[in-house]
Every structure is written in C-alpha cells, then in structure tokens.
Amino acid sequence: MRPFDYARAATSEDAARQAAEGATFIAGGTNLLDLMKLEVMAPSALVDINRLDLNQIEEADDGGLRIGALVTNSDLANDTRVRKHWPVLSRALLAGASGQLRNKATTGGNLLQRTRCLYFYDRATACNKRDPGSGCAARDGFNRILAVLGTSEHCIATHPSDMAVAMRALGAEVETLKQDGSTRRIPLGDLYLLPGDRPDRETVLEQGELIAAVTLPAPVEGRQIYRKVRDRASYAFALVSVAGIVAVSEGRITRANLAFGGLAPKPWRNAEVEDLLTGEASSDALFGKAADLLLAEAQGFGANDFKIPLARRTLVSVLRELSQEASA
Amino acid sequence: MTEHFKMDAPATDRRLDDMAQGLVGAPLDRPEGPLKVSGTATYADEWQVDGLAHGVLVRAPGNSGRVVLANRNAVARMDGVLAVIDDDRLLRNPAQGTANEAPIQGPHHAAYMGQLIAVVVAESFEQARHAAQSLEVTLEGGTLMPVDPTTAAVEPQESKNLDQGDLDAAMETAAHSVDAIYTTPSHSSTPMEPHASIATWEGDDLTLRGSYQMLKYNRNELADALGIHPDRVRILSPYVGGGFGSKLGLAPEAVAASIAAKQVGRPVSVALQRPQVFEATMRRSETSQRVRLAADAEGRLTGLGHDALVSNLPGETFAEPILQASHFLYAGANRRMSMDLARVHRLCAGSVRAPGEAVGVTALENAMDELAHEIGIDPVELRRRNIPEKDPESGKDYSSRRFREALDSGAEAFGWADRPGVKERREGEWLIGYGMASAARVNVLMESQARVTLLPDGRARVETDMTDIGTGTYAILGQIAGEMLGLPRDAVDVVLGDTALPPASGSGGSWGASSSGTSVYVACQAIRRQLAERLGGEEADLTLKDGSATFDNQTRPLAEILDGDEIVKLAHLQPGDTSDAVRQATFGAYFAEVAVHAASGETRVRRMHGSFAAGRILNAKTARSQCLGGMTFGIGMALTEELAFDPRDGHVANHNLAEYHIAVNADVPQLTVELLEERDDWANPMQAKGIGELGICGAAAAITNAIFNATGVRVRDYPATLDKVIAGM
Ligand SMILES: Cc1cc2nc3c(=O)[nH]c(=O)nc-3n(C[C@H](O)[C@H](O)[C@H](O)COP(=O)(O)OP(=O)(O)OC[C@H]3O[C@@H](n4cnc5c(N)ncnc54)[C@H](O)[C@@H]3O)c2cc1C
Ligand code: SF4
C-alpha cells in the first residue's frame, strides 16, 4: 500500500470537490482496500464518505424507492419494503459475499466494485484494465470466471456484482452529484461502458462524480427470482446469474424483465430477448429460442466455454419456474 | 536415566485397560481451546518482541532466468527500509517433511513463478510491504520452462513399481473389468494461520518463534540452511494454526527472518502473505491415475492395476505416494503398479492432507464403484467380497482390521439399503443419489521422546517438543499421563512446542498421537514402577486413582508417598520389528447423499456418514473432530478444490481464499462419525493407531459415486464442478 492522504468529507459537495481534485471515494472499503494493499489501485488521497447523510431508504412519490449510496448491502437486503415489493433485489444481495462483507459493503461501492479477474489483481501479469496497453493475460490464461458477452479483444472481464444484476432487471437509475452541486440520473444500463479498446474506463462517471442514490421504479407485476449459479454453496461469485421478473396473464407472458450476471462486463440485459418472450405462451421451445437469441453472439475463451450452455440451461430453468409460479 | 522402549513385539498386556482414572478415550475438551477462541493463545507472528523489524518477501515473476533486482538501491533508500536481502541461503522451496536438512537454496535463479527471491526489511510492516512491492524484479535469459505434467519430461519411479502375476491376462479373461483414468488437481493446505516466523539472535544463538509441525527436524533444517550448529537454534511453536502438511518442513520465511535478523541486528518477523502461502509453500501434486480392475462373475477381483503420474520441481524427490493403500486394501492375485514423476516448473509438491491415500484411495474407490455397477451388485457387497485374508502382496497378516465391520455398520447407520437406482430419485429440480467408498491409510510409528515428572505435590508435568497443530495433542498427552498416574486431567501440565524439550515424532503422517503418546506412556510406566518400588511391591499390583495409590489394601496420597521428592523419567520410543512383521493400517467406510441440480449441475452434499476403525481411540472428541475435518476436506476435494495454474508460466492463478474454493459452512451438511472399538497390539503399547488423516482417504469418491447414482454421469476429472456434470447430462 502506498502512503496516501486521508480526509473525511463534510458534505456531498465537499466529497465531490475533493474527488474532482484527484481523491478517491472510500465507502465500505471492502474492494478498494484490497486493491490498495496489492497496489493495483494506488490513490494518493482518499476521501471518506461514510459520515455523509446518504444512508436512508425513502419511498418516492411515484411509488418507487430511493436508496442512499451508503445503505449497506445488509440493510438493503433486510428492508421490509424491498423484501416485499422488490424481492429479486433482496435475494440477489443475500446471494453475494458473506454476512461480514455485506455489513460493510455499500450500495454505491457495490455498483463500482472492480472485476474479479485474477490477472487484474496480479501485478506481475499483463492487464489492459490495470495497465492500459500491456495486454490481456486472461484471454489465453485461466479465464473460467470471465465473460462470454460484450467482451473485446482487449478485455474479457466480468462485472461481479449480484446486486447490480437485480437492479438492472428492475430498471434502476443512478443519481449522481458533482462538485458544483449539479445532479444527473443515469439508467443503470448506461452507467457501465463496454471495454472496447479502453477497458480501464468502466463507467460514464466523471472524475469527482459521486453516486448519491439509486432509484427503483414502482413495483411491477409478476414473479421475481434471482438464481445464482456458482462453484460452491456460498461465498463465491456468480458463474451465471439471472434476475427475472415475469408476469403471465391468460397463459401468455405479459412481461419479462431479465438481467444476467457472470456473463458480461456489465449487468446484461437484452431487450430483444424480452420482446421475443412477451405476448407468447410459455413453452420450453420458446425459452430455448430466448436463450438462443441471448447467446447468439456469445464467445468463450476456453476455460469459460461452459458458461454458454450453462447460461442456456439456467435461463430455461428460471423461465420455467417463473411462468409456472406466475400462472399458479 | 532414559527408559528405552523398542516396539519389537505385540503389546498384548493392554495395560491401559487396567487403569482406573478413566481418562483415556474420554471425549475431553482441548485444554487450550478457550485460549484459541478468545485470541489469547499467542501464535508465531503475534509475539510482542522489543525492537521488532518487519520483513516482506518478494516473488519471482516467472519460472526461469537469473534474478535481477534493478532498483534495489532505490528501494533500500525508501522510508523506513533497513535492508534488501537476497542472501544465497534463502530457500528455493520448503523442506519436505522429515528432511532433516536444508532443501535447495539460492534466490538468484527462478525455478517457478512465485518463488521467494528476496526479503525487504523495514521499521513497519506497511513500509516493508510497500518497499517489497516497489522492488523491480526481472529475469534475465529466462525462457518459459515446462509446466504441464502431461507433456513434460518424466522420470519413472522404478523402486515403486510392482508386477505380480499377469494383469494383462487377468484383464483379458475377466468376466467384468474396469479400465479408467482419473485425474485429481493440485491442492493447497492453506492453513488458517499463514506461515510466520520471528527470529531473534543473542550473539550466535538463534531463537525462532515459528509455526511448525516437526520441531526436531525443523531445527536441523534451519541450522543447515544457515550453516550453523543445531545447538545454536531453538524453535518455539506452542500453538500452530493448522499445518495440514505445509508446516512439516522448514519454509522460506524462517530462513529469511533468521538471515534478516542477523543482518539488521534486530529481531525480525516475516509472515507469508496469503498469495505467498498458495504460491510458495507446498502443493499436493496433481495426479493422473489409471486404475484397472479385473473380476470374475461373482465380483471377486482377479487383477488390480494402478499406474500414476505425479509431478514435482526439478531436484525434488518427493512423489505423491498414491499407491500406498492400493497395495493392501483389496484382493486380486495379478497386480501391477507403477509411478511416474513429471518435472515441471510449478511450486514444490509435497505432503498435503494425507499424501497418497487422499487421492489414491479416491481413484481406486471410483473404479470399484464402476465395477459394482458393471457387475450389477451392491458396491458395499463388492468390497466385502474382496477383503483379502492376508496382505495380497507380502502375504503378511494384518495387525488389526475392522474393515468389514466399518462397511456393515456404516451402511446400517446411513440407511444404505434405501439407495435408489441410477437416475431414479428426483425431488423437484434436484436429482438425488447415494454413494459410498472405503477408507484406508497406512499406520506408522515414529521415534519419539518425552519427559514426565511426578511432582512432590502429586501433580505431573509432561514435556516434549511435540506440537499441537489444532489436533488435540495437549489434551491427549495429558489424558495418557493422567490415566497412567491416576491423576485428574487438570493435575497434569503439558508443555509442548520447544526444541529445548525432548525431541518427539512431530505432527504428521497421523503418527503424532500414537508415537508421542507412547513415549509418555512409557515414561509413566517407569514412574509407576518406581512408586511400586517405594511401596515395596510390583507395578502390576498398584492402582493409581485421583492422586492416590492403592497397594496391598492401603490407599495413600501420592504426595505422602513422594515425601518431598519428585520422580522424573525420560522415555525414548523407537519403532521396531512390529512395523514390518505385519501389515498395519486403519480402515473405514463413507456414505454420502447428494442432490444435483438438473439444470445447473450444482451438487450439494445432503448428508454424509463415516465409520472408522483406528485401534484404541485416545479421545473420542478429538478423534471425531479429525474425521469430521477429513470428510469436510473430502467434500472440497470432490466438488470445488483446485489450484488453477496458468497454462503458460504455471503460476497459481487463484492464489486467494476467494477463488481457491475450500468447502464453506454452506457446503457441509450434517456429518456423522462412528468410531469402532478396536485394539491393535502390534501398533504400540497403547493399541492406538493414527486417525488424523483417515477421514479424507477416499471420502471424495463417496460423493462422486453418489453423483453417478443421481445423474448417471461419471466425473473422472476432479473436482466435479458443475461444468463437468452438465457436460454429461
Ligand atoms: C471475498 C469477497 C467475496 C465477495 N463476493 C461477492 C459476491 O458474491 N457478490 C457480489 O456482488 N459482491 C461480492 N463481493 C464484493 C462486495 O460486494 C464489494 O466489495 C462491495 O459491495 C463494495 O462496496 P464497498 O462499499 O465496500 O466499496 P469500496 O471498496 O469502498 O469502493 C469500491 C469502489 O467504489 C467507489 N465508490 C464507493 N462509493 C462510491 C460512491 N458513493 N460514489 C462514487 N464512487 C464510489 C470507490 O471509490 C471504489 O472505487 C465480494 C467481496 C469480497 C472481498
Ligand atoms: S480480462 Fe480484462 S481485467 Fe482481466 S487481464 Fe484481461 S484486460 Fe485485465
């Protein structure tokens, strides 16, 4: 860990100002500190945002929810409103990390956690995300956990969050604040950038732009599940995960919100897949077509090839369960 | 005067059964347990030592070439830095267990990526770590050396080969046969306490506070590495936060700390960072095992073949002893076994959690399951039919062997009769299956010494350099002494983990409790004899209980008999003729129920049972805990555990506990353990055999056999991760 300056922010604007001048936000620190110990991230200054008043979960006028960026993963998962009306979010959170980590991890930090690509964490290896232009050791290396969709020749990393996958299915937006006090709302799907030739650039956020909150639209009709497939029963990142919200009326699917984790550099959602399902009667053949469409451009890199059939099997299984339950 | 005892004849007197205190076998708590769970047991790196400086080791970034530290002078000038050291004596890799001498040394050429090639010493740990990370290490003239054992150069291990009868003919004429290849990946011990040492010099005398399993060997290894006399070295390891083989031999941090402390003239602590534990301690070799079984129409084995490929670094002789139990577990007149050692530039291979049987019995037990399926008989019955009368190779008798009882009793306890047919049982999206496997592990007795003192006040003290690596040595040695001397458990103090004390066997190979325990037993017998002498009688007529001696219908407190004296006995146990006269081993059987998800291929173990026979059980609680731990390892080995090597440079890609998947609580269901009553007179005078590793020796096979029963998919390539399961569904 390199020596760094540390300051606690008095207000959100103050935090944004310090960050605009080069400091890095620290929230729960569960990802950032690990990266600093390894000197993969080596900020010269930290601005601590933990004392800011961003830890409320409030009901919005439109029936939605506004989640402060500092709400911990534990508190969010256990919120009765979330559990009742947005259960996919609660389940996704509880499927992630461990109890201890969830107590520290925050909503904003979870969205901006870095990839778990093993080469990204190992400074002796080439990584375009860590050292732009150095190459990508993962591509021909041990890439079991890495992406099959949305990759580029420069980077095949996944975004590891479970929470963000559920939020993507729910149509969440991110509310940000800059040092001049201006705010903007970014749909979660637009927050993340695909790697292209600049895998070091991960989001559209500007230097110093603070995530203040995440908003969820009003609850929608339909059954919700989060299915996480992983290498052990707990404390492992998703190989594939599906956040699904499906409504069925008179035997036909009237809504299918589907987001995927473990497959891509960002929580993945494909409107064409949802359109294909909507209005149709549920059947294994239909679900198979949806999977075909989702994975049409999927590309494996050896050790992660299995994710393509796994995603297919998982999606079909999830759709079966959702359409069954919903019609029951 | 030293009491010498050599195990040359079976100990049929079963003296422990005559004792009155009732401690041996009792499920007593570990006396140091509360210290450990409350954080008050001091582990190696936790000692508060005046003037302590901190060292952090630096890794080689590739697997060959001359090491160049380009900016070492600049690093040496960084804040707080005291020294940048690449002394010739730094270890290339750890010593193997019982090596008793230094392993290959020298940090100037890289042999594997992750090799620790320098240590940076600074005032604070943070300064040392930052400076270590700032050191630019390049490798000059290096090329990529072979890392893949399936394509690397191979050295046949001819001394391990066996050719008895005609296996090929047996295979050809067999009514039923199996010929399959099983592969297991490398594993890391990765104990909870990382390897750590604090070195302190007083003049030319070195004290090392370390975390080691076998102190008498470690002391010689350290002295040899440093080029000093062993008398100058004292190692203290009162508490060890797990070793699982990785702390049998001296590891790089001990030498680095010792050299650094000498050089900077202050005590120095060096602890491995977690990735370094994965990259630079010991791995279990990956294995490729061809198992051949030939059977007649009734399932009686006529032939058994086991050919293994394992690997190690150039210059290391250790080869995972896969065939150990294949030699004696099952019948079969025609037998062939062989072992090849591939030379690869991956980190050193050595002892990890039951070297040999953990993976060897597992493959054999998978093949037995395939054979049972092929013949169409119950897998338990197939085992029962193939229990040989005598050792199938040497013709020797077995010392004691309650194998059949373990199979039967385990099957009963588990409810094996309810086993579904292949792919027959389904609950929602979950496919349910049962599987079983046998357990077997060789039993070994090792030289060991202990001193027992009966103090004037009637308390006793046991002293030996034996270690307690979390297994219960403190508990068990106190129980043995208390039993023999008729003292309550808390009237016995057990002092361990100090090379200034009589040298013990060390903890490893499951021999610790029986070997060091026997030395305590022998010392206590000598004390009993001396007490009897004082009372003018024979030891055999003496009853000791609750601090008093009863003799000739008279009961007197020990303190009164001692009359201000103390009785000190040093015992020296040596293995003898019984080691070779018979086949000594421990046996058991595992039963598991799994659920496999029909869509994702994820496997969950729902319940698991083990029945084991390991001679006299010295402490029912610690013995059970060992078995629970072994079965838990078995779950990890079956489903998740694998060191993932980069295919190009062979470094450990998943070198942390987030990505190296040991079983977590959610993976481990209710486990049940049954310990069968047994006495093994040939093992030692306590009739106890080793139980530390028995719980893992075949456990994984019970789970993969259950996966087959649930899904019809044979995963022969461990671990049975979901991708391999769905590939067959
Ligand atoms: C062993 C392990 C296992 C894990 N398993 C899982 C898992 O299974 N599933 C899963 O989803 N996650 C998992 N995690 C990741 C965990 O969820 C994240 O580490 C955590 O959510 C990060 O939140 P934090 O508040 O600690 O972020 P920090 O570490 O404090 O910050 C992370 C990043 O976000 C930035 N940041 C933080 N807050 C803001 C803000 N308000 N505005 C702008 N930038 C901000 C920081 O500058 C930093 O770059 C695991 C982590 C570990 C260590
Ligand atoms: S996949 Fe991305 S993060 Fe991983 S090594 Fe390649 S560039 Fe780096």
Side-chain angles (χ1 to χ4, degrees):
Chain A
M1 195 181 274
R2 290 198 206 152
F4 56 87
D5 293 328
Y6 168 91
R8 188 178 285 155
T11 62
S12 295
E13 286 77 8
D14 175 37
R17 183 189 50 74
Q18 291 192 39
E21 287 163 8
T24 297
F25 300 119
I26 181 162
T30 58
N31 188 219
L32 179 60
L33 286 176
D34 278 357
L35 288 161
M36 287 173 66
K37 287 179 195 166
L38 295 167
E39 299 193 6
V40 170
M41 288 177 79
S44 55
L46 288 185
V47 49
D48 183 344
I49 59 173
N50 283 290
R51 300 282 173 98
L52 299 182
D53 190 19
L54 299 174
N55 53 8
Q56 258 75 261
I57 305 177
E58 298 153 330
E59 287 159 40
D61 295 341
D62 64 354
L65 212 56
R66 184 173 183 280
I67 302 157
L70 290 172
V71 173
T72 66
N73 288 180
S74 294
D75 287 346
L76 186 56
N78 292 321
D79 185 273
T80 45
R81 293 158 295 187
V82 173
R83 286 170 56 178
K84 192 145 180 238
H85 301 297
W86 296 273
V88 65
L89 177 57
S90 180
R91 290 185 201 171
L93 283 159
L94 293 176
S98 66
Q100 297 91 324
L101 283 159
R102 293 194 297 267
N103 286 342
K104 282 305 279 180
T106 64
T107 303
N110 190 313
L111 288 177
L112 296 187
Q113 63 175 297
R114 311 293 302 273
T115 182
R116 305 307 291 197
C117 172
L118 297 163
Y119 296 91
F120 175 67
Y121 285 75
D122 187 342
R123 285 171 58 226
T125 63
C127 172
N128 288 323
K129 190 185 275 303
R130 176 170 28 80
D131 297 314
S134 63
C136 170
R139 220 184 146 84
D140 298 321
F142 178 73
N143 51 38
R144 174 177 174 80
I145 59 174
L146 299 184
V148 294
L149 287 169
T151 58
S152 76
E153 76 183 272
H154 303 283
C155 181
I156 61 170
T158 49
H159 190 271
S161 171
D162 291 299
M163 180 194 82
V165 177
M167 285 180 170
R168 180 95 209 261
L170 289 166
E173 290 186 345
V174 173
E175 211 181 283
T176 71
L177 177 93
K178 295 185 208 164
Q179 56 170 330
D180 62 7
S182 67
T183 62
R184 62 168 169 159
R185 289 167 75 99
I186 308 167
L188 191 61
D190 298 339
L191 175 69
Y192 300 103
L193 297 168
L194 289 180
D197 58 3
R198 285 299 302 273
D200 56 314
R201 290 201 303 218
E202 294 177 345
T203 70
V204 299
L205 297 179
E206 292 166 21
Q207 174 71 43
E209 193 168 355
L210 177 76
I211 295 180
V214 174
T215 56
L216 300 182
V220 295
E221 207 174 297
R223 290 278 180 171
Q224 309 187 2
I225 58 175
Y226 187 72
R227 176 83 63 82
K228 178 174 178 178
V229 180
R230 47 186 146 175
D231 270 331
R232 62 181 167 193
S234 173
Y235 203 44
F237 289 92
L239 293 168
V240 169
S241 71
V242 183
I245 306 170
V246 169
V248 180
S249 170
E250 291 166 16
R252 294 197 175 266
I253 294 171
T254 55
R255 165 193 295 281
N257 294 14
L258 296 168
F260 301 86
L263 293 180
K266 64 190 231 178
W268 198 252
R269 198 168 163 179
N270 183 328
E272 289 174 33
V273 172
E274 298 179 10
D275 289 346
L276 180 142
L277 291 164
T278 310
E280 299 294 322
S282 42
S283 71
D284 277 4
L286 177 70
F287 301 157
K289 268 195 231 159
D292 286 343
L293 186 57
L294 173 75
L295 298 163
E297 283 171 21
Q299 181 194 1
F301 299 91
N304 70 347
D305 289 348
F306 74 95
K307 283 192 173 185
I308 299 171
L310 180 65
R312 181 189 176 82
R313 299 173 72 99
T314 308
L315 175 59
V316 170
S317 165
V318 163
L319 286 172
R320 265 190 213 150
E321 187 177 332
L322 280 171
S323 56
Q324 253 174 33
E325 273 192 36
S327 54
Chain B
M1 257 269 294
T2 305
E3 295 290 323
H4 287 278
F5 180 86
K6 200 152 177 269
M7 192 63 199
D8 278 332
T12 49
D13 62 349
R14 302 194 177 173
R15 221 29 205 126
L16 271 176
D17 288 323
D18 304 332
M19 295 296 137
Q21 194 64 31
L23 286 179
V24 163
L28 298 190
D29 289 344
R30 287 153 50 186
E32 84 290 5
L35 300 178
K36 288 180 173 171
V37 294
S38 63
T40 43
T42 308
Y43 286 91
D45 202 40
E46 297 175 337
W47 288 93
Q48 303 294 313
V49 178
D50 283 344
L52 188 67
H54 299 266
V56 170
L57 288 154
V58 181
R59 78 204 262 246
N63 70 18
S64 75
R66 197 172 66 81
V67 175
V68 180
L69 309 178
N71 63 344
R72 75 178 296 159
N73 293 335
V75 169
R77 286 192 302 272
M78 286 175 69
D79 274 354
V81 173
L82 300 169
V84 177
I85 297 169
D86 61 345
D87 190 285
D88 293 346
R89 295 169 295 173
L90 291 177
L91 301 188
R92 182 188 78 163
N93 51 261
Q96 300 288 348
T98 71
N100 222 21
E101 60 182 17
I104 295 176
Q105 291 170 274
H108 306 304
H109 282 90
Y112 58 99
M113 180 156 163
Q115 182 182 333
L116 299 167
I117 46 80
V119 59
V120 179
V121 188
E123 292 288 345
S124 76
F125 166 72
E126 284 75 14
Q127 288 169 329
R129 183 173 59 184
H130 176 44
Q133 283 167 329
S134 304
L135 193 62
E136 283 164 25
V137 186
T138 51
L139 297 172
E140 235 173 44
T143 53
L144 278 183
M145 299 299 281
V147 295
D148 180 356
T150 60
T151 54
V154 156
E155 295 168 12
Q157 305 289 292
E158 267 140 31
S159 66
K160 308 265 170 60
N161 292 1
L162 169 84
D163 205 346
Q164 173 180 316
D166 188 344
L167 180 63
D168 290 336
M171 288 294 286
E172 248 166 60
T173 55
H176 303 281
S177 65
V178 169
D179 182 350
I181 292 177
Y182 304 89
T183 59
T184 63
S186 268
H187 300 133
S188 173
S189 294
T190 197
M192 192 166 347
E193 181 202 17
H195 301 59
S197 290
I198 294 179
T200 309
W201 291 89
E202 273 171 57
D204 288 333
D205 291 322
L206 171 65
T207 301
L208 190 93
R209 293 181 165 84
S211 184
Y212 283 100
Q213 295 179 231
M214 301 197 153
L215 300 193
K216 74 175 174 203
Y217 300 104
N218 304 134
R219 165 190 173 154
N220 291 341
E221 288 151 6
L222 181 55
D224 187 33
L226 297 172
I228 61 177
H229 195 278
D231 288 350
R232 296 276 182 215
V233 177
R234 180 177 182 192
I235 300 182
L236 300 171
S237 282
Y239 302 113
V240 179
F244 313 111
S246 72
K247 296 171 182 169
L248 291 177
L250 194 75
E253 93 295 335
V255 176
S258 303
I259 293 169
K262 190 79 185 171
Q263 185 165 329
V264 303
R266 290 166 57 172
V268 171
S269 125
V270 178
L272 295 190
Q273 312 288 292
R274 182 60 67 182
Q276 295 173 339
V277 174
F278 282 100
E279 290 189 332
T281 62
M282 286 288 186
R283 68 180 168 101
R284 184 206 298 287
S285 172
E286 72 297 312
T287 75
S288 171
Q289 307 178 49
R290 180 182 184 198
V291 182
R292 280 174 289 176
L293 299 175
D296 66 15
E298 280 80 51
R300 287 191 180 77
L301 287 172
T302 54
L304 193 158
H306 200 160
D307 303 288
L309 171 69
V310 300
S311 72
N312 211 337
L313 267 174
E316 284 293 321
T317 52
F318 180 89
E320 178 84 15
I322 287 178
L323 309 174
Q324 247 162 205
S326 304
H327 289 299
F328 65 81
L329 185 54
Y330 295 123
N334 303 290
R335 308 171 79 85
R336 188 141 82 209
M337 300 188 196
S338 74
M339 178 91 119
D340 284 342
L341 179 63
R343 289 301 181 188
V344 294
H345 291 256
R346 294 177 174 179
L347 74 144
C348 191
S351 296
V352 174
R353 307 178 198 152
E357 284 92 327
V359 283
V361 176
T362 296
L364 181 58
E365 289 303 294
N366 283 138
M368 287 294 276
D369 199 66
E370 298 204 29
L371 183 64
H373 182 72
E374 159 92 22
I375 304 173
I377 63 172
D378 184 314
V380 174
E381 181 54 29
L382 178 67
R383 271 92 176 166
R384 296 171 97 256
R385 283 186 198 174
N386 286 292
I387 300 176
E389 204 175 309
K390 306 235 177 207
D391 183 287
E393 291 169 18
S394 68
K396 288 177 191 171
D397 286 325
Y398 292 86
S399 58
S400 69
R401 179 181 48 157
R402 299 200 69 198
F403 182 26
R404 189 184 301 271
E405 292 84 343
L407 288 165
D408 292 347
S409 176
E412 174 73 28
F414 180 79
W416 180 249
D418 186 33
R419 181 174 70 116
V422 176
K423 273 176 93 168
E424 222 175 63
R425 195 171 292 173
R426 185 174 179 133
E427 293 175 13
E429 285 219 87
W430 293 95
L431 311 174
I432 312 302
Y434 287 10
M436 63 80 53
S438 304
R441 176 76 171 155
V442 291
N443 184 60
V444 179
L445 188 69
M446 291 290 266
E447 183 176 5
S448 205
Q449 298 188 35
R451 181 166 53 233
V452 179
T453 307
L454 185 59
L455 297 156
D457 62 358
R459 291 180 62 83
R461 189 169 60 227
V462 175
E463 295 166 299
T464 162
D465 83 352
M466 183 60 191
T467 48
D468 187 327
I469 59 172
T471 44
T473 314
Y474 282 106
I476 285 166
L477 298 188
Q479 282 171 275
I480 295 167
E483 185 73 80
M484 295 299 292
L485 300 177
L487 298 175
R489 174 62 190 84
D490 57 12
V492 184
D493 293 318
V494 180
V495 188
L496 303 177
D498 180 349
T499 51
L501 302 175
S505 61
S507 301
S510 297
W511 62 58
S514 54
S515 304
S516 72
T518 296
S519 65
V520 171
Y521 170 94
V522 170
C524 291
Q525 269 292 51
I527 293 175
R528 290 175 59 90
R529 278 196 298 274
Q530 191 148 331
L531 282 171
E533 216 170 274
R534 281 191 171 224
L535 295 166
E538 294 290 321
E539 183 274 329
D541 303 325
L542 185 68
T543 303
L544 298 180
K545 188 163 191 291
D546 294 333
S548 295
T550 303
F551 178 72
D552 221 6
N553 285 332
Q554 261 195 311
T555 301
R556 289 168 63 195
L558 288 175
E560 190 185 308
I561 299 167
L562 289 164
D563 193 22
D565 294 341
E566 59 176 29
I567 304 178
V568 189
K569 293 291 175 189
L570 177 69
H572 186 165
L573 157 76
Q574 279 175 302
D577 295 343
T578 62
S579 296
D580 276 336
V582 285
R583 168 61 78 179
Q584 289 189 31
T586 52
F587 297 88
Y590 313 93
F591 297 83
E593 176 181 339
V594 303
V596 182
H597 196 275
S600 69
E602 288 166 290
T603 299
R604 302 280 180 260
V605 180
R606 287 184 148 191
R607 61 197 179 97
M608 193 169 176
H609 172 81
S611 287
F612 303 104
R616 184 194 299 275
I617 299 301
L618 298 170
N619 176 324
K621 184 175 194 176
T622 56
R624 175 174 174 273
S625 295
Q626 290 298 109
C627 296
L628 292 176
M631 286 158 67
T632 302
F633 286 155
I635 293 172
M637 192 173 136
L639 300 179
T640 57
E641 246 186 284
E642 168 167 26
L643 279 179
F645 295 101
D646 182 274
R648 295 151 300 191
D649 56 31
H651 82 270
V652 178
N654 57 345
H655 55 211
N656 59 57
L657 285 167
E659 296 299 336
Y660 180 78
H661 292 145
I662 56 167
V664 296
N665 284 332
D667 294 305
V668 184
Q670 199 58 39
L671 305 177
T672 54
V673 170
E674 174 191 30
L675 301 168
L676 299 175
E677 190 71 22
E678 188 181 42
R679 300 280 182 271
D680 193 325
D681 297 337
W682 296 85
N684 51 61
M686 304 189 299
Q687 295 83 33
K689 292 190 276 194
I691 198 163
E693 297 160 306
L694 184 57
I696 188 182
C697 299
I703 294 163
T704 44
N705 291 342
I707 292 176
F708 173 75
N709 183 244
T711 64
V713 180
R714 285 275 177 212
V715 179
R716 298 190 183 90
D717 176 23
Y718 283 88
T721 46
L722 54 91
D723 46 316
K724 297 171 194 165
V725 177
I726 57 176
M729 295 212 299

